[in-house]
Amino acid sequence: MICLNDLLESSLELIIKDVCNKWRATTKRRYKPKFPTKKSENFAYIKEEAAANRLPKVYKSNLGIYVITDYEIMKDAFNKVELSSRFVNKKLVQASLIMRAQQGLAAVAKAILGENCPFFKNGDTGTEGSEQMEEMLSINADDLCSAILAQSGEGNGKAFDPRVLFMNATLNSLTEVALGKRLDINDPEFESLADNIKTILGNVQHRVLTKVIHYILPMSILKLPFMSRLIDWINPGEKRFNDALVKGLLPYILQQIQIHKESFMPGQARNFIDSMIESSQNRSEMNFYSASMSVVSLYVASSDSVTVTLCWLLLTLSKRPELQAIIRDEINTSIAKYGRIVRGSCHQTRAILLENQRHRVVTDSLPHMAKETITLDNVTIPKGALVLGSLTAVMHSGKNFKSPEVFDHTRHLDDNGRFVHNPKICAFGIGNRNCVGLRLARDEYFTFASQIVRKFEIAPGSEVEPSPKTWGQLLSPDNVQLKFTPIDC
Ligand code: HEM
């Protein structure tokens, strides 16, 4: 027979459980994770939430964008065809065609390439082998070190912000990969190229605003002949962006394509432009606009990302001379043994460089668009929605990394001191749309960093701690001042 006491106890237990569940459900509902659009705020917020394991694996942010914070889900999601597109829809494509027609780019392309060029007929709608790449990067790293020496008053320890020098060096690497030519940084051709890229990078956010205007306004208004000029007037940064792109960069790249066409040999692509000429023969989507814009995207995506990554690394090293000594020792041993720096033999250096990419996440994924309605971790993402992968959340998750806020390169070394790559360090993104410049970026970052540390002692140039600031899409340090003292090597 059940005694009354037992009955009371079990009912009480049920009531308490019920109240607890309701309370849990309410507090869960009340916790609404954000996804701040400013990269500096985003980094601070997501880093803290991820370290405390508070973020849901997938959530809809305050701006309506879906955010993935879990590595396994992101890997699975970004390998799906449904999530492998960028944010384009028919209306944006149409609006962009109208604006281009108003800017007269087709006439410029026709004059440069000629009407019979496949790039032109296709309408408007590879790099060299690894040894050459290594040699090219090594020459660029030497030039970069000479520029650092000159800028620091030939070894007088003058503090300065090295970002312009890093940017010039990365632009030069890309010029070799894409256009197959080497430019002196004092050459007016290089100066004009660099000025145009910097103007574009400095006004990217205005281009995004124009896209939003295109998205909101009806097509009948966008078609008005003065619309392009009106948008420039409302949003002057768009005009700066466009002038650098349409009057500066695109005609320059089209001229380079024309020069390449004259000496092009089928099946023997010498650089990126040659590969595009090759594919324009049988791929109709390879037209003068997509070809020249591909080169522009490479310039835009490559220059500031490597620059900012290098900058964060040198800032950390400036306060950790013992890490500089480890890198120097390993690089000099490699040179003594192999006659050159062999990346595979530099375990600690690679671990330090990778830890920098984890510790200071310079960017999250770019927006991916759901081409179909899709369900991730019980969250339904409707067709057409934007999905972002928070690389910050993955790389600062308390579940993935012990004490994620601490810079500790030894987490990437095994018991024998050998470098072990952890796939959860995904600074270049994951899946079908990950970074196309990964190899160049990784080699460039390693070559530039190792040569600089080998040739200079790096110290902080000011008492002021640089603060993380939003720079376009990236998280960049503000007020960088570093001192470089040359070392005899
Ligand atoms: C340390 C340097 C770099 C970092 C951290 C980085 C990171 C990234 C990330 C996170 C993405 C987005 C992936 C996604 O949306 O899922 C991306 C895309 C891209 N990156 Fe990089 N990147 C770097 C250097 C470069 C370089 C040197 C190049 C060019 C040679 C480059 C070209 C691109 C391009 C063109 C895309 C867009 C790819 C697409 O839409 O499919 N990046 N990068």
Side-chain angles (χ1 to χ4, degrees):
M1 217 176 82
I2 307 169
C3 99
L4 193 67
N5 236 358
D6 284 349
L7 200 68
L8 266 175
E9 251 178 43
S10 52
S11 322
L12 202 67
E13 202 182 315
L14 278 178
I15 293 168
I16 291 171
K17 262 193 191 155
D18 193 39
V19 171
C20 282
N21 282 343
K22 275 196 182 130
W23 184 77
R24 243 183 254 135
T26 337
T27 47
K28 207 172 172 188
R29 238 182 286 135
R30 242 188 266 143
Y31 175 70
K32 278 201 179 145
K34 298 180 284 177
F35 194 76
T37 42
K38 264 190 161 183
K39 185 65 194 155
S40 49
E41 280 170 29
N42 184 298
F43 182 69
Y45 172 82
I46 297 283
K47 194 171 78 144
E48 205 178 309
E49 297 300 286
N53 299 324
R54 271 194 290 267
L55 293 171
K57 292 180 179 175
V58 182
Y59 65 91
K60 188 175 177 185
S61 75
N62 38 342
L63 286 178
I65 296 171
Y66 289 81
V67 181
I68 309 176
T69 66
D70 178 80
Y71 173 77
E72 296 299 338
I73 295 180
M74 204 186 296
K75 193 169 107 185
D76 182 45
F78 286 173
N79 274 312
K80 287 187 196 299
V81 192
E82 297 92 314
L83 283 178
S84 297
S85 297
R86 295 287 180 216
F87 182 48
V88 275
N89 64 13
K90 268 191 194 150
K91 188 176 164 220
L92 283 179
V93 171
Q94 229 182 327
S96 156
L97 282 173
I98 292 168
M99 295 299 142
R100 253 182 269 156
Q102 291 183 5
Q103 288 151 1
L105 185 65
V108 177
K110 197 173 182 178
I112 297 174
L113 298 174
E115 218 165 336
N116 290 327
C117 170
F119 279 117
F120 205 74
K121 280 193 190 155
N122 285 343
D124 187 359
T125 51
T127 68
E128 296 180 14
S130 72
E131 267 178 40
Q132 284 104 313
M133 170 94 102
E134 206 178 285
E135 198 184 316
M136 176 275 278
L137 288 176
S138 164
I139 295 171
N140 282 355
D142 279 347
D143 287 354
L144 174 60
C145 290
S146 307
I148 291 176
L149 187 64
Q151 194 62 252
S152 58
E154 296 295 330
N156 288 336
K158 198 178 101 194
F160 69 97
D161 180 347
R163 270 177 294 187
V164 175
L165 303 185
F166 295 166
M167 179 85 95
N168 286 345
T170 55
L171 287 180
N172 231 340
S173 304
L174 195 84
T175 306
E176 288 214 42
V177 172
L179 315 184
K181 66 198 289 185
R182 213 186 141 63
L183 294 170
D184 188 280
I185 51 169
N186 297 316
D187 186 330
E189 189 176 333
F190 180 79
E191 281 171 9
S192 145
L193 181 67
D195 280 352
N196 284 324
I197 304 282
K198 285 169 197 164
T199 308
I200 288 176
L201 283 172
N203 292 286
V204 168
Q205 67 277 35
H206 296 279
R207 171 44 63 102
V208 175
L209 178 62
T210 303
K211 292 269 172 214
V212 175
I213 297 174
H214 286 175
Y215 192 69
I216 296 169
L217 288 182
M219 216 53 218
S220 51
I221 295 189
L222 287 173
K223 275 183 181 161
L224 295 172
F226 54 83
M227 252 340 260
S228 173
R229 269 175 289 136
L230 183 67
I231 291 177
D232 283 356
W233 183 75
I234 299 168
N235 179 18
E238 167 69 17
K239 179 159 170 46
R240 289 192 289 274
F241 184 102
N242 245 328
D243 283 353
L245 182 68
V246 178
K247 294 188 186 151
L249 209 48
L250 289 179
Y252 173 75
I253 292 165
L254 289 169
Q255 277 160 8
Q256 300 306 313
I257 293 178
Q258 182 57 18
I259 294 168
H260 275 68
K261 268 174 48 203
E262 282 156 19
S263 55
F264 170 72
M265 309 264 272
Q268 293 180 28
R270 295 158 296 182
N271 48 50
F272 186 66
I273 289 194
D274 271 358
S275 325
M276 289 192 303
I277 296 177
E278 187 103 64
S279 45
S280 71
Q281 316 289 325
N282 46 27
R283 284 178 58 191
S284 62
E285 71 275 18
M286 191 51 84
N287 57 57
F288 74 87
Y289 186 73
S290 60
S292 46
M293 275 310 284
S294 301
V295 181
V296 172
S297 324
L298 290 184
Y299 270 115
V300 171
S302 70
S303 40
D304 54 354
S305 48
V306 178
T307 296
V308 172
T309 306
L310 262 176
C311 225
W312 281 122
L313 175 79
L314 297 192
L315 281 168
T316 300
L317 294 184
S318 70
K319 284 180 240 129
R320 304 272 305 265
E322 80 284 5
L323 295 183
Q324 295 184 41
I326 291 176
I327 298 179
R328 225 167 270 137
D329 191 41
E330 221 173 35
I331 299 294
N332 287 334
T333 308
S334 176
I335 295 175
K337 198 165 168 190
Y338 304 104
R340 65 192 178 94
I341 307 172
V342 175
R343 195 167 158 265
S345 71
C346 302
H347 296 279
Q348 301 230 42
T349 305
R350 289 170 74 190
I352 293 169
L353 265 59
L354 189 70
E355 179 64 354
N356 173 56
Q357 290 197 284
R358 185 199 68 79
H359 192 239
R360 290 293 187 186
V361 186
V362 300
T363 179
D364 284 321
S365 86
L366 298 171
H368 292 230
M369 193 180 72
K371 283 192 103 173
E372 299 299 334
T373 298
I374 184 169
T375 302
L376 298 176
D377 199 44
N378 293 326
V379 177
T380 304
I381 300 177
K383 182 176 172 178
L386 286 187
V387 182
L388 276 169
S390 174
L391 307 181
T392 311
V394 172
M395 293 194 265
H396 279 269
S397 155
K399 273 184 262 161
N400 296 339
F401 300 97
K402 197 174 153 212
S403 309
E405 71 293 351
V406 177
F407 186 108
D408 176 11
H409 75 285
T410 59
R411 58 174 106 231
H412 313 299
L413 297 171
D414 68 11
D415 293 344
N416 299 317
R418 295 182 71 80
F419 173 74
V420 190
H421 183 83
N422 180 343
K424 288 185 181 153
I425 301 188
C426 46
F428 294 105
I430 302 175
N432 295 337
R433 292 306 288 264
N434 75 351
C435 176
V436 295
L438 190 154
R439 221 192 98 212
L440 173 65
R442 195 197 55 194
D443 291 354
E444 199 170 44
Y445 174 42
F446 178 83
T447 312
F448 289 0
S450 54
Q451 289 287 13
I452 294 171
V453 178
R454 179 173 166 248
K455 292 184 178 170
F456 299 95
E457 246 165 38
I458 304 141
S462 125
E463 306 257 296
V464 184
E465 182 74 13
S467 51
K469 211 181 158 210
T470 307
W471 190 26
Q473 274 260 349
L474 306 184
L475 180 77
S476 174
D478 199 18
N479 297 322
V480 180
Q481 287 291 310
L482 288 168
K483 277 187 197 162
F484 295 84
T485 308
I487 298 172
D488 276 339
C489 49

